[in-house]
Amino acid sequence: SNSTCSTIKQQDETILFHTGKTKVAFSALIEKGGAYGPFNTDVTLAFNKVFTNIGDAYKSCTGIFTAPVTGVYYFTFFYHAGGKHASLLRLFKNSEMIVRSSDHQTGSDTADNGGNAVVLQLQQGDQVYVRMPANHHVWAAENHTSFSGFQIS
Amino acid sequence: SNSTCSTIKQQDETILFHTGKTKVAFSALIEKGGAYGPFNTDVTLAFNKVFTNIGDAYKSCTGIFTAPVTGVYYFTFFYHAGGKHASLLRLFKNSEMIVRSSDHQTGSDTADNGGNAVVLQLQQGDQVYVRMPANHHVWAAENHTSFSGFQIS
Amino acid sequence: SNSTCSTIKQQDETILFHTGKTKVAFSALIEKGGAYGPFNTDVTLAFNKVFTNIGDAYKSCTGIFTAPVTGVYYFTFFYHAGGKHASLLRLFKNSEMIVRSSDHQTGSDTADNGGNAVVLQLQQGDQVYVRMPANHHVWAAENHTSFSGFQIS
């Protein structure tokens, strides 16, 4: 069931768009009640508070966006993290690391922000997701850390 | 009059687009000559240097974007702030806080950057804006702190 | 030849889109093997690892995007930098500085992130690019510092 994913459904998810101009688009936050990580292994961030998921191409249980049609897409992520551990997020297209954002462990600077964006040509079935390597952390609370994407053409 | 809003008009604002493909889009900076805040109350940021405002849906006097048509929109903001006070910006859809970005007060790290983005399904009349809570500040100078949005479909 | 630009071609660049919905879009990273700068003069960042360049409007040798058609475009950049020197990137439309992002030199905070975005109305032939002033630096390695843009309408 969806409850195992702790998906936070928004009212807007139920609005349907069935015009000829409809494009795939999604936007979600990762909300885990505070710091997320560090872990012993790399993890894919399952952004679980979904604002928008037109075309249902983003799966909040896994954090993976799968292109429903071949096309050009824009993706962006933003994160917040405390300074106690290093932070590092990497956006992947299938197994290829595309863009990333990171910050060092710093005792004096107790908060870090980062993000990145990319335009990607995707074939139907290509997957895009954000991963955090082992021994890093991110702030997964208070609507800080997000992953969004939409089809350009 | 517009002068009470200290709106800085750009030459580009006068260019009109009247093709079938025209979409709502805006982009603006907040320019107040330096640090803005901290204040005793929450404020909506009135980004007053407008680069683009196709559809005139963004009002620089208030900082509020009002969706002229039901559809899917992308919004993003970026900010710069000094370290002397904490920084925190929150993007709202009507009365609901959607995404935010923040940084701590830090004497050793004298500058902070942040931002966030979201894809939102809006009904005609829905309002989107960026607010700064009391006791926080942002750097409103030198083209640093911006708010942009456009209709995806 | 292209080799003088040290352009890193991606497999995806060869995918062509010839539908009526095709729009101009590009995305590239600057990859120079580590810190880039500080230099004695301002430089335009030639983002040389190109992920996407639909319409071939972005030139990786120069870092300059030239609008092939009049329209509305979205641009965004993200950067990472060490704390040893100040960081500052400015996005230009022709000779006009539009948005920027910066951070101070800070011994205690050894890493900085920043970025910005803007929606611009461009006439055919208008140029958009990112410049770094003299005496500043940016981290040009590991897929951190990017420049992307696409046509909205």
Side-chain angles (χ1 to χ4, degrees), chain A residues 93 98 100 102 104 116 119, chain C residues 12 52 110 113 143-144 146:
Chain A
K93 173 189 168 184
I98 302 293
R100 72 180 197 176
S102 69
H104 300 168
N116 218 323
V119 174
Chain C
D12 285 350
T52 304
T110 57
N113 292 310
N143 302 40
H144 272 98
S146 70

Side-chain angles (χ1 to χ4, degrees), chain A:
Chain A
S1 78
N2 273 335
S3 63
T4 60
C5 311
S6 18
T7 301
I8 305 164
K9 283 191 175 291
Q10 299 296 303
Q11 194 177 10
D12 284 351
E13 265 199 297
T14 59
I15 299 171
L16 297 176
F17 285 81
H18 289 303
T19 76
K21 295 176 183 175
T22 303
K23 289 175 185 168
V24 174
F26 74 96
S27 203
L29 290 158
I30 183 163
E31 295 289 325
K32 301 290 185 183
Y36 189 62
F39 301 114
N40 293 326
T41 59
D42 297 10
V43 294
T44 299
L45 294 190
F47 297 83
N48 56 314
K49 184 174 180 177
V50 178
F51 288 114
T52 304
N53 198 7
I54 299 164
D56 203 29
Y58 171 74
K59 299 300 181 197
S60 59
C61 292
T62 60
I64 298 175
F65 171 87
T66 305
V69 293
T70 295
V72 184
Y73 295 83
Y74 178 75
F75 297 95
T76 191
F77 66 91
F78 288 84
Y79 79 89
H80 183 75
K84 200 181 284 185
H85 304 283
S87 56
L88 172 52
L89 297 186
R90 296 173 171 139
L91 184 145
F92 281 80
K93 173 189 168 184
N94 300 323
S95 60
E96 182 190 5
M97 199 268 284
I98 302 293
V99 289
R100 72 180 197 176
S101 184
S102 69
D103 214 309
H104 300 168
Q105 177 184 353
T106 42
S108 62
D109 182 30
T110 56
D112 296 317
N113 291 310
N116 218 323
V118 71
V119 174
L120 287 175
Q121 300 184 16
L122 300 182
Q123 301 295 319
Q124 186 177 23
D126 280 346
Q127 296 190 321
V128 177
Y129 49 91
V130 176
R131 276 175 81 76
M132 179 172 71
N135 306 318
H136 292 77
H137 76 155
V138 73
W139 186 249
E142 299 161 337
N143 302 42
H144 273 98
T145 298
S146 70
F147 180 33
S148 298
F150 55 86
Q151 191 182 354
I152 298 173
S153 65

